């Protein structure tokens, strides 16, 4: 296999990555000091190597997700001085991590590009007052779907942000009056928000008791309908005819599917950060989506601060010690443990509400020497495989 130039080799590697489902990176390009010709180069999978320890890690609440797995997939090329082309002398095609799906490949940074024509279109739409969401939808439609577009809504937003920064730099942002106007609108918006928040805090005090045993998957009661109402309101007006109605409904659904693909892509790209290599966390990191794992890990961490206040037969009174305050405790909960059934039922009702075990139940499972997550507590909808297939536990047994 030969390439005319390093550019051609790099484009090939990028294209191959896009078809196969991995992201690419330039590892090095060696330039001759004499004539500036690139004599050799190595292009790798973006999971190559390991990230150096982040100095901010100990004090950041949400550290950057781990994406490096030390993957060995690579292509190395060297120049043939006489002909001037490049030949491949080292090629590794195996990966040590999950690859992207054909449906999520287009979300990888190496595959997302805004051409200068597209950039022009985006900026024109922005200047005509078309929002980024509508602009992205219009552009997707023109090419028969977002998969063919080559850039995501996020990339489009970033592009517009850069454009604005550029404009600010050249002083095109308008005169003083517009600035004043914008500023006061923003200020009034912020003001409203604080008022809303204070009202919400009052409501929060009593709403909790009513919602104790309701299975809501952790959503606020109206969250789902609010967001759907909002979406529908944006697209549906009472004067639409039936055809327009269905076309618009389809648009709403398409938007939701794009969001789902985005989440699928993120789950494949980012490795969860396990704070302690204990069996239950390792297991949870493999089955849960990154976001749910984070939540679960947080509960596990809280369970480390749990006290068994008293126990009788299989009933445990559990309380969590408040962080930083010795012998101050949160509200006590009663947990009924059952080893034979691999069960821990807590009165706080978190599992029934959200589908994720609470710190109290986790403490009791641990006391009962149950060191991995019982099958009954793995809800398929929170797992990486929620969309397809079966889930295996840490012993390779299919559990859901
Ligand atoms: Zn790889
Ligand atoms: Zn509980």
């Amino acid at each position: 296999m030969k390439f005319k130039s390093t550019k051609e080799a790099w484009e090939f590697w990028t294209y191959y990555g896009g078809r196969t489902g991995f992201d690419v990176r330039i590892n090095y390009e060696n330039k001759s000091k004499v004539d500036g010709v690139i004599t050799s180069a190595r292009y790798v999978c973006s999971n190559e190597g390991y990230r150096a320890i982040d100095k901010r890690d100990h004090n950041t609440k949400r550290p950057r997700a781990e994406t490096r797995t030390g993957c060995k997939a690579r292509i190395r090329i060297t120049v043939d001085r006489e002909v001037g082309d490049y030949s491949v002398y080292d090629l590794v095609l195996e990966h040590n991590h999950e690859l992207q799906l054909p449906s999520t490949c287009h979300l990888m940074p190496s595959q997302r590009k805004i051409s200068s024509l597209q950039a022009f279109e985006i900026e024109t739409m922005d200047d005509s007052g078309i929002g980024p969401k509508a602009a992205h939808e219009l552009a997707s439609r023109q090419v028969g779907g977002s998969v063919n577009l080559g850039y995501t809504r996020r990339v489009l937003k970033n592009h517009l942000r850069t454009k604005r920064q550029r404009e600010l730099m050249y002083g095109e942002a308008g005169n003083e009056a517009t600035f004043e106007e914008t500023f006061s609108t923003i200020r009034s918006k912020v003001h409203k928000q604080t008022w809303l928040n204070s009202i919400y805090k009052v409501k929060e005090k009593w709403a909790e008791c009513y919602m104790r045993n309701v299975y809501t998957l952790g959503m606020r009661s109206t969250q789902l309908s609010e967001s759907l109402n909002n979406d529908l309101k944006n697209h549906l007006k009472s004067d639409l005819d039936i055809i327009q109605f269905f076309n618009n409904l389809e648009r709403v659904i398409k938007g939701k599917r794009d969001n789902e693909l985005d989440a699928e892509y993120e789950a494949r790209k980012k490795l969860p950060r396990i704070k302690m290599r204990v069996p239950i966390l390792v297991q949870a990191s493999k089955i849960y989506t990154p976001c749910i794992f984070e939540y679960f890990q947080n509960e596990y961490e809280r369970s480390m601060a749990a006290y068994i206040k008293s126990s009788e037969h299989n009933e445990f009174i559990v309380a969590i010690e408040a962080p930083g305050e010795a012998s101050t405790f949160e509200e006590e909960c009663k947990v009924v443990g059952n080893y034979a059934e691999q069960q821990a039922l807590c009165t706080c009702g978190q599992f029934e509400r959200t589908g994720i075990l609470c710190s109290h139940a986790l403490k009791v499972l641990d006391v009962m020497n149950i060191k991995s997550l019982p099958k009954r507590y793995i809800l398929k909808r929170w797992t990486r495989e929620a969309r397809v297939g079966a889930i295996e536990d840490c012993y390779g047994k299919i559990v859901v």
Side-chain angles (χ1 to χ4, degrees):
M1 198 182 222
K2 295 225 172 203
F3 297 106
K4 279 197 220 86
S5 61
T6 50
K7 187 169 173 271
E8 194 185 71
W10 170 245
E11 275 169 5
F12 165 78
W13 187 243
T14 311
Y15 178 83
Y16 173 70
R19 294 292 147 258
T20 319
F22 67 95
D23 214 1
V24 293
R25 203 147 45 80
I26 297 178
N27 189 221
Y28 63 74
E29 279 181 341
N30 284 331
K31 237 181 217 174
S32 156
K33 282 197 182 104
V34 185
D35 54 5
V37 168
I38 297 172
T39 52
S40 66
R42 187 203 268 163
Y43 306 131
V44 294
C45 166
S46 71
N47 280 31
E48 180 267 352
Y50 295 96
R51 183 182 289 151
I53 290 168
D54 195 335
K55 289 196 192 81
R56 306 166 312 166
D57 264 11
H58 62 282
N59 52 17
T60 38
K61 217 167 172 201
R62 297 179 60 83
R64 286 188 300 162
E66 185 52 74
T67 54
R68 302 283 191 93
T69 58
C71 181
K72 295 268 186 289
R74 62 178 177 250
I75 185 169
R76 261 202 286 181
I77 52 168
T78 42
V79 72
D80 180 339
R81 277 288 187 183
E82 270 162 35
V83 192
D85 63 3
Y86 292 83
S87 33
V88 177
Y89 73 95
D90 181 18
L91 185 64
V92 178
L93 298 177
E94 290 83 42
H95 296 264
N96 65 354
H97 54 90
E98 220 176 355
L99 296 173
Q100 291 292 341
L101 297 171
S103 57
T104 52
C105 273
H106 68 291
L107 297 171
M108 296 188 295
S110 66
Q111 307 300 318
R112 314 189 290 219
K113 267 177 262 134
I114 296 185
S115 69
S116 41
L117 174 65
Q118 286 170 330
F120 175 73
E121 279 176 351
I122 289 170
E123 290 178 21
T124 317
M125 285 195 269
D126 185 52
D127 292 340
S128 326
I130 299 173
K133 197 175 172 202
H136 184 257
E137 196 186 313
L138 178 61
S140 305
R141 263 167 194 275
Q142 287 171 337
V143 291
S146 54
V147 183
N148 305 329
L149 190 57
Y151 62 87
T152 60
R153 211 189 298 162
R154 204 181 312 153
V155 173
L156 185 147
K157 278 188 186 158
N158 285 345
H159 179 84
L160 288 176
R161 195 188 309 135
T162 332
K163 181 196 163 216
R164 299 236 158 78
Q165 280 163 352
R166 217 165 49 214
E167 283 174 350
L168 273 178
M169 242 191 298
Y170 294 112
E172 283 176 26
N175 51 25
E176 227 170 286
T178 13
F179 178 79
E180 278 293 324
E181 196 190 307
T182 325
F183 183 70
S184 57
T185 355
I186 292 173
R187 199 165 47 184
S188 71
K189 267 189 199 154
V190 172
H191 186 75
K192 266 185 223 149
Q193 206 101 60
T194 350
W195 176 79
L196 260 181
N197 278 347
S198 67
I199 291 292
Y200 181 72
K201 273 192 191 120
V202 178
K203 193 198 83 174
E204 206 177 21
K205 282 189 183 141
W206 53 262
E208 179 79 14
C209 2
Y210 290 102
M211 298 301 290
R212 278 245 148 140
N213 295 310
V214 186
Y215 182 63
T216 59
L217 303 166
M219 277 191 178
R220 283 185 291 117
S221 60
T222 58
Q223 195 173 328
L224 181 67
S225 65
E226 263 169 29
S227 88
L228 200 62
N229 280 350
N230 202 12
D231 279 336
L232 290 174
K233 223 188 285 168
N234 286 337
H235 296 296
L236 304 178
K237 293 182 197 82
S238 54
D239 55 356
L240 295 180
D241 66 31
I242 188 89
I243 306 285
Q244 286 170 315
F245 170 82
F246 278 112
N247 278 341
N248 278 302
L249 188 67
E250 207 179 320
R251 286 172 58 209
V252 176
I253 293 167
K254 251 188 207 149
K256 298 266 168 219
R257 294 222 170 101
D258 276 357
N259 291 347
E260 196 184 10
L261 276 186
D262 223 23
E264 174 80 43
Y265 167 74
E266 293 285 323
R268 278 165 191 275
K269 191 178 108 182
K270 292 178 181 165
L271 298 179
R273 292 214 165 204
I274 308 176
K275 290 182 181 160
M276 279 171 279
R277 309 274 325 166
V278 290
I280 199 164
L281 285 184
V282 175
Q283 178 200 11
S285 75
K286 284 186 189 148
I287 52 179
Y288 284 142
T289 61
C291 186
I292 297 299
F293 172 71
E294 197 98 348
Y295 191 106
F296 178 82
Q297 179 159 254
N298 192 24
E299 284 302 323
Y300 183 80
E301 212 167 29
R302 269 164 55 73
S303 80
M304 298 281 105
Y307 280 69
I308 304 275
K309 288 294 188 106
S310 63
S311 66
E312 214 174 310
H313 306 299
N314 49 8
E315 283 187 13
F316 301 84
I317 302 297
V318 185
I320 313 279
E321 193 177 57
E325 289 171 76
S327 50
T328 317
F329 292 93
E330 292 175 10
E331 209 181 319
E332 287 179 359
C333 287
K334 190 168 85 179
V335 182
V336 181
N338 184 334
Y339 184 82
E341 293 282 323
Q342 300 270 297
Q343 194 173 25
L345 265 175
C346 179
T347 49
C348 81
Q350 177 174 295
F351 183 77
E352 288 70 21
R353 231 170 31 236
T354 64
I356 298 159
L357 272 181
C358 63
S359 45
H360 320 110
L362 283 170
K363 171 75 181 177
V364 171
L365 286 181
D366 192 63
V367 168
M368 295 193 299
N369 285 338
I370 297 174
K371 300 288 183 186
S372 63
L373 205 52
K375 183 183 156 187
R376 62 163 71 238
Y377 291 121
I378 304 168
L379 289 196
K380 189 172 174 187
R381 65 157 54 230
W382 288 150
T383 62
R384 289 167 174 269
E385 314 291 325
R387 298 174 74 228
V388 276
I391 322 275
E392 289 176 0
D393 67 7
C394 54
Y395 308 107
K397 210 166 64 196
I398 290 176
V399 288
V400 180

